[in-house]
Amino acid sequence: MLRSLGQSIFLSFLLTVLTACGGNRLLKDSEPLVLNQPLAQAHDNYATIYLDWVIVRNGPGSWAKNANWDEYLLRVQNDSQQTLQVMSVRVWDSQGVAQAPVNDRKLLISRSKETAKRYKKEGVEVKAGASAGALWVASGAAVYGGSALGIGALYSGSTAAAGTAVAIIAVAPVIAITGVVVAVNNSKVNKEIGKRNTQLPVVVEPGKVLVLDLFLPLVPSPSKIEILYSQNGQSNLLSIDLLKVLPDLHIVKPDDSQESKP
């Protein structure tokens, strides 16, 4: 009876851990993002660029669970009478490093981790979605930690140890099945990124407005967005100042807690 109970608890715990830590998945009930005004904008004689929103980990507009990347929603308005072509977009972080759009989930995550390591060398902790104010939704990291402590205390004796060994053997097929589910979920998220991502360069016709949906690795405390566009063979660079728009985004402050690492 005790062994059966121990196995059941261990199975439930393991499934919870695997589900929580096993990558990303599409949200079933993601709500549409309703915006009243852009966060920032910039213009010159030929174009106006609007930054409408930045979707961060589990924040408003999220469609994927626990995304360790940023999704920038921009609009490019062609104010001229000639065709305009958006060539590239880069977002600069507070260390003066620029990130370009990426449309691959694994690459987004790996580059986000590289950014976190780079900031850590300077004594700054970076976590996806930290310091995002109303955009930030706390993750379940604290629940996971509590569960781990509970299970560790439960299997502290010799009888419990025997029960744990049996449970591990019994749960092997579950691990395999869960691994397949995680892989399928990650694949679905990656395909969705491909669908949403705007492939650059892209053309904007005279007097028209084009929406850009761009995925970038974490950009801590972004300082500016640079949009390079061309017209009649002439290159133009528009820059949107973000210093006052998204201060300390992804930067952990002393009073921050319960946020997930990238």
Side-chain angles (χ1 to χ4, degrees), residues 43-48 77-82 84 229 231 234 236 238:
H43 67 88
D44 57 19
N45 294 329
Y46 311 104
T48 302
Q77 179 176 303
N78 188 346
D79 299 322
S80 73
Q81 300 301 313
Q82 298 178 334
L84 176 154
Y229 72 90
Q231 197 171 47
Q234 173 98 27
N236 298 283
L238 258 177

Side-chain angles (χ1 to χ4, degrees), residues 2 8 22-23 27-28 35 37 64 67 87 91-92 109-110 119 122 125 173 179 187 207 218 225 237 255:
L2 178 60
S8 298
L27 296 176
K28 294 181 179 179
L35 304 173
Q37 61 183 16
M87 304 302 295
V91 183
W92 298 75
I109 293 174
S110 64
Y119 271 79
E122 301 298 325
E125 185 177 3
S187 178
L218 296 182
I225 301 176
L237 190 65
D255 57 344

Side-chain angles (χ1 to χ4, degrees), residues 1-233:
M1 183 70 178
L2 178 60
R3 175 175 296 186
S4 177
L5 176 61
Q7 291 177 10
S8 298
I9 295 175
F10 185 83
L11 284 169
S12 298
F13 163 69
L14 186 57
L15 285 172
T16 300
V17 171
L18 290 173
T19 301
C21 301
N24 310 114
R25 63 178 174 81
L26 298 176
L27 296 176
K28 294 181 179 179
D29 302 316
S30 57
E31 298 182 0
L33 187 61
V34 180
L35 304 173
N36 295 320
Q37 61 183 16
L39 296 176
Q41 65 186 72
H43 67 88
D44 57 19
N45 294 329
Y46 311 104
T48 302
I49 311 293
Y50 301 94
L51 171 61
D52 286 325
W53 199 249
V54 181
I55 300 177
V56 301
R57 180 186 175 104
N58 299 334
S62 293
W63 51 269
K65 184 69 174 178
N66 297 335
N68 290 318
W69 56 80
D70 294 331
E71 185 175 356
Y72 280 71
L73 306 180
L74 301 103
R75 281 177 294 139
V76 180
Q77 179 176 303
N78 188 346
D79 299 322
S80 73
Q81 300 301 313
Q82 298 178 334
T83 298
L84 176 154
Q85 188 173 36
V86 180
M87 304 302 295
S88 66
V89 175
R90 296 194 300 174
V91 183
W92 298 75
D93 65 24
S94 58
Q95 289 188 345
V97 176
Q99 295 284 2
V102 178
N103 65 350
D104 179 79
R105 173 189 164 275
K106 286 186 178 179
L107 195 53
L108 285 165
I109 293 174
S110 64
R111 290 187 179 177
S112 292
K113 289 181 178 179
E114 290 173 2
T115 296
K117 290 180 181 178
R118 171 162 51 86
Y119 271 79
K120 187 176 182 180
K121 289 181 180 179
E122 301 298 325
V124 179
E125 185 177 3
V126 168
K127 291 184 180 181
S131 303
L135 296 178
W136 172 245
V137 179
S139 73
V143 176
Y144 168 80
S147 299
L149 290 174
I151 292 297
L154 179 63
Y155 293 106
S156 58
S158 58
T159 302
T164 304
V166 174
I168 290 175
I169 295 173
V171 84
V174 177
I175 295 176
I177 294 172
T178 305
V180 172
V181 172
V182 169
V184 170
N185 286 339
N186 289 342
S187 178
K188 289 181 179 179
V189 170
N190 196 53
K191 288 181 180 179
E192 187 66 20
I193 289 174
K195 290 179 182 178
R196 291 170 175 264
N197 177 70
T198 302
Q199 192 68 40
L200 302 177
V202 65
V203 172
V204 186
E205 297 296 335
K208 300 296 183 179
V209 177
L210 184 68
V211 174
L212 304 182
D213 192 336
L214 303 173
F215 293 83
L216 292 95
L218 296 182
V219 183
S221 191
S223 60
K224 63 179 177 179
I225 301 176
E226 286 189 346
I227 298 92
L228 178 67
Y229 72 90
S230 65
Q231 197 171 47
N232 289 335

